[in-house]
Amino acid sequence: MAKTIAEFVIRRWIDTNFYPGSVKVLVEGNTAKITDKNGDTAVLIYDKDTNEVYMLDD
């Protein structure tokens, strides 16, 4: 269960964009680091002003 609104929105975004259980999620504040089975990672940011989640580009 999510502890914050940011975590809730981030996890909902992940559930919409990835196969369930296909990434590990570490949420800290309004950011999350996701890791897939190959060890590839991405960083997600929750923008509270727009209530949207963005994936950071390299």
Side-chain angles (χ1 to χ4, degrees), residues 7-58:
E7 182 178 355
F8 175 80
V9 176
I10 288 169
R11 290 188 182 278
R12 185 178 62 190
W13 187 93
I14 291 168
D15 289 345
T16 301
N17 290 282
F18 289 91
Y19 186 79
S22 66
V23 294
K24 293 181 182 177
V25 183
L26 176 62
V27 177
E28 250 184 61
N30 69 331
T31 65
K33 178 179 177 183
I34 58 173
T35 306
D36 68 12
K37 67 178 182 175
N38 295 325
D40 296 325
T41 62
V43 175
L44 305 175
I45 303 292
Y46 166 68
D47 183 337
K48 68 178 183 178
D49 295 328
T50 63
N51 200 39
E52 293 181 337
V53 175
Y54 302 95
M55 185 179 294
L56 291 182
D57 292 331
D58 284 339

